[in-house]
Amino acid sequence: THTHNAPALLGYAPSLWASRWTAAQQRAAVRYTDALVAHVTRAILDSLRSLAPARLRWRPRGTLGLAVNRRTLKSDGRWKNFGANATAPTDDALPVLVAEAADTKERRVLGVWFAYGMHACTTYVDNTAHGGWPGAASLRLEARFPGAVALPASGCSGDQASRAYLALEAAQNSG
């Protein structure tokens, strides 16, 4: 998944970012990229050290209902802009895979993988990092299941956005 409200990574989309960076922004991108790589490496190594048997529960048919197709079209069918298109297809599937500790009877949740096809749009606020809906959903699941790791996947999210986000964006752009 991704977010529109996070620092840029060194080497990511250089044709888009590298030519726009100041020297200070370049140094910040190097520091952030190095820190992120170290953090992810540490998480992988910690995971490998704590491998344990688990039971898996699969729920392939959940639904959420938060997304709407965000592609608005002209009368000739060509793309016009982003917005809420209630007549276009929307996928509300929410499959969930839960890993539970195999050595206990109380169903202790170790991890939750979930997927929803909604673009990770967030209200854009300068210099504010935010994980969008995937980050917010992960934090809520991890709070509900202490010690568990939540892993979101965005699915086919390019054509879908949050109904609430699009309504907010329309209100902000209307005056």
Side-chain angles (χ1 to χ4, degrees), residues 53-87:
R55 287 186 299 264
L56 297 177
R57 288 189 297 132
W58 174 241
R59 301 289 183 253
R61 292 186 181 87
T63 59
L64 197 51
L66 293 177
V68 66
N69 193 299
R70 69 183 193 140
R71 307 288 178 175
T72 59
L73 306 175
K74 297 178 184 178
S75 60
D76 64 2
R78 291 184 298 142
W79 183 73
K80 177 182 177 183
N81 204 344
F82 293 117
N85 185 348
T87 62

Side-chain angles (χ1 to χ4, degrees), residues 20-33:
R20 298 180 187 183
W21 280 346
T22 65
Q25 289 171 323
Q26 172 80 17
R27 290 190 299 274
V30 169
R31 286 192 310 274
Y32 178 73
T33 302

